[in-house]
Amino acid sequence: MSTPDVVVVGGGIGGLSTAFALSRLGLRVRVLERSKEFGEVGAGIQLAPNCTRILDDYGLLTEAKARGVVPDRMVMRDAVDGSDLTALDLRDLERRYGFPYMVIHRSDLHSLFLEACRESGVELLTEQRVTSYTQAGDKATATTDTGAAHEASVVIAADGLHSVARKLFADDEPVSSAYVAYRGTVPMTEVNGPVDLSEVVVYVGPRCHFVHYGLRGGDLLNQVAVFESPAARAGLDEWGTPDELDAAFTATCAFVRERLPHMWRDKWWRMYDRDPIDTWVDGRIALLGDAAHPPLQYMAQGAIMAIEDGWVLAEHARRLRGADGVIDWPGALAAYEAVRPEHCRRVVLTARTWGELWHLDGVPRRQRNVLLRARDVHDYSFTDWIYGPTALFPEDEPAMFEPIPLASADRPAGTSLDPVYR
């Protein structure tokens, strides 16, 4: 094998999208995937304008839209009584940000990047379990459990939540939220009762929530049920089991309860993130995607952040490429590290808070509902910081929203309310 310019460890959405972005610069890129074949586990994924903008830049948006669904509306409802709380007009949102909000099956997005990598000449290797990273001079090396050494000018570790490379940067472990996700993607022909596929819907309830939206042109219905596990809170090893699923949703509205039989009962996903870290680059080795910033799912930005990481790195490599074609990799990696950790820190921490907001009970739930219902459907003050163009430099990162306390819901009638809550 010839020596590549870049080695990417991890063949998920983040790794493949980054490999494709770098290959567009004419670089020789090698991807190392630990599994026997490239593939993606999961079901649906939401792609906000900050992601579809990049897909458009890559020339992949048209095909992504053909494989997915571009909904008209995003709705948040109370899981207990089924009432509407707030909504986003996704067509108006597209006009504001210039690019659509869409949903797609994770495997369809993964295969889109896999095909793009193959067409651009990325070297794709499977059964490559990387166990160590080293570097010397202007080269870095990823070494597998068989002793195979893959050397390049840069090694990008996109090896996920349980990243081996992260140990070079932080002595930490994944943080359990004690929440569990069950998924159930079913053909629309098997769905009982009417479901509006023009909507992305989330039902938020006490210590649980339920999401549904269409996939593959409306042929499939993606459903996700998430709940807090009492067994996890009790410190037990066995947690998130189907009996806990059923118990968690007993107080929800009929629509949600009727969806639970469609959940896959043989597999569930425990929800973890990690505390943010500021250092992602060590010489010629860099973290990317969930290896650097695994979030909880409440912002629907996990895969998007990984795609943004790759785009930002490639843009800085392009910017710092000399007339002789040589890239100033230390400069490109420094520029990448200067902007991405702070953005992703905001997302990871906001996702934690957003999840807390979704799962409130009692008086806080009532206060949340009052505030959400007061929001104007065309108020974007809480999405501008996340859905706008991906920042290349720290000064381009937009200011975040100003949260207000839930107690604001108890203000006298006629008092103005801010659009984002805590």
Side-chain angles (χ1 to χ4, degrees), residues 90-102:
L90 296 180
R91 298 303 183 177
D92 188 66
L93 182 140
E94 181 176 352
R95 287 188 288 271
R96 180 175 184 84
Y97 298 114
F99 295 90
Y101 195 109
M102 63 170 291

Side-chain angles (χ1 to χ4, degrees), residues 200-255:
V200 174
V201 182
V202 55
Y203 288 83
V204 295
R207 295 169 296 281
C208 68
H209 74 267
F210 184 86
V211 179
H212 72 79
Y213 51 82
L215 293 173
R216 291 184 177 161
D219 292 337
L220 297 177
L221 181 66
N222 183 61
Q223 302 174 113
V224 185
V226 176
F227 63 92
E228 184 182 52
S229 164
R233 288 296 183 207
L236 303 180
D237 292 333
E238 290 296 320
W239 56 278
T241 51
D243 59 317
E244 287 195 315
L245 166 69
D246 294 328
F249 288 89
T250 54
T252 59
C253 63
F255 180 90

Side-chain angles (χ1 to χ4, degrees), residues 119-175:
E119 291 173 3
S120 64
V122 173
E123 186 180 6
L124 302 165
L125 303 182
T126 57
E127 298 184 270
Q128 303 291 317
R129 186 182 297 269
V130 172
T131 56
S132 65
Y133 296 80
T134 56
Q135 55 188 316
D138 60 356
K139 298 292 182 182
T141 302
T143 303
T144 71
D145 57 356
T146 65
H150 299 270
E151 185 184 73
S153 297
V154 173
V155 172
I156 306 299
D159 51 346
L161 174 68
H162 301 286
S163 169
V164 172
R166 188 179 173 104
K167 294 179 175 62
L168 299 173
F169 301 85
D171 181 19
D172 67 347
E173 296 294 335
V175 178

Side-chain angles (χ1 to χ4, degrees), residues 110-375:
H110 183 271
S111 64
L112 182 65
F113 281 121
L114 183 61
E115 292 162 13
C117 283
R118 285 173 173 152
E119 291 173 3
S120 64
V122 173
E123 186 180 6
L124 302 165
L125 303 182
T126 57
E127 298 184 270
Q128 303 291 317
R129 186 182 297 269
V130 172
T131 56
S132 65
Y133 296 80
T134 56
Q135 55 188 316
D138 60 356
K139 298 292 182 182
T141 302
T143 303
T144 71
D145 57 356
T146 65
H150 299 270
E151 185 184 73
S153 297
V154 173
V155 172
I156 306 299
D159 51 346
L161 174 68
H162 301 286
S163 169
V164 172
R166 188 179 173 104
K167 294 179 175 62
L168 299 173
F169 301 85
D171 181 19
D172 67 347
E173 296 294 335
V175 178
S176 172
S177 69
Y179 275 77
V180 184
Y182 278 70
R183 295 182 169 94
T185 302
V186 297
M188 282 301 300
T189 55
E190 298 178 11
V191 176
N192 298 325
V195 176
D196 188 347
L197 294 182
S198 70
E199 296 180 338
V200 174
V201 182
V202 55
Y203 288 83
V204 295
R207 295 169 296 281
C208 68
H209 74 267
F210 184 86
V211 179
H212 72 79
Y213 51 82
L215 293 173
R216 291 184 177 161
D219 292 337
L220 297 177
L221 181 66
N222 183 61
Q223 302 174 113
V224 185
V226 176
F227 63 92
E228 184 182 52
S229 164
R233 288 296 183 207
L236 303 180
D237 292 333
E238 290 296 320
W239 56 278
T241 51
D243 59 317
E244 287 195 315
L245 166 69
D246 294 328
F249 288 89
T250 54
T252 59
C253 63
F255 180 90
V256 172
R257 294 197 311 273
E258 290 166 1
R259 306 271 77 79
L260 296 184
H262 295 285
M263 297 294 105
W264 301 328
R265 298 288 176 129
D266 58 344
K267 183 173 178 59
W268 51 91
W269 287 259
R270 296 171 175 177
M271 313 309 298
Y272 293 86
D273 66 0
R274 286 188 189 249
D275 292 331
I277 58 174
D278 296 327
T279 302
W280 294 7
V281 175
D282 178 8
R284 298 290 183 118
I285 301 169
L287 299 178
L288 183 142
D290 279 357
H293 48 75
L296 298 176
Q297 76 276 24
Y298 305 108
M299 294 286 293
Q301 286 282 313
I304 293 176
M305 286 193 290
I307 292 169
E308 286 183 310
D309 289 348
W311 182 81
V312 168
L313 179 59
E315 287 299 302
H316 284 303
R318 184 196 310 275
R319 180 177 63 86
L320 294 174
R321 190 171 200 166
D324 58 358
V326 176
I327 293 172
D328 173 10
W329 281 115
L333 292 170
Y336 165 73
E337 188 180 45
V339 66
R340 292 304 295 163
E342 171 58 18
H343 174 84
C344 297
R345 181 193 67 82
R346 294 178 177 187
V347 176
V348 169
L349 297 183
T350 301
R352 289 178 177 177
T353 302
W354 199 229
E356 293 170 1
L357 183 77
W358 284 16
H359 299 138
L360 293 173
D361 196 4
V363 171
R365 168 178 165 260
R366 179 191 62 76
Q367 293 171 323
R368 175 203 66 197
N369 289 0
V370 168
L371 293 174
L372 289 173
R373 288 181 177 126
R375 176 191 161 268

Side-chain angles (χ1 to χ4, degrees), residues 20 25 79 243 256 415:
F20 176 64
L25 304 180
D243 59 317
V256 172
T415 303

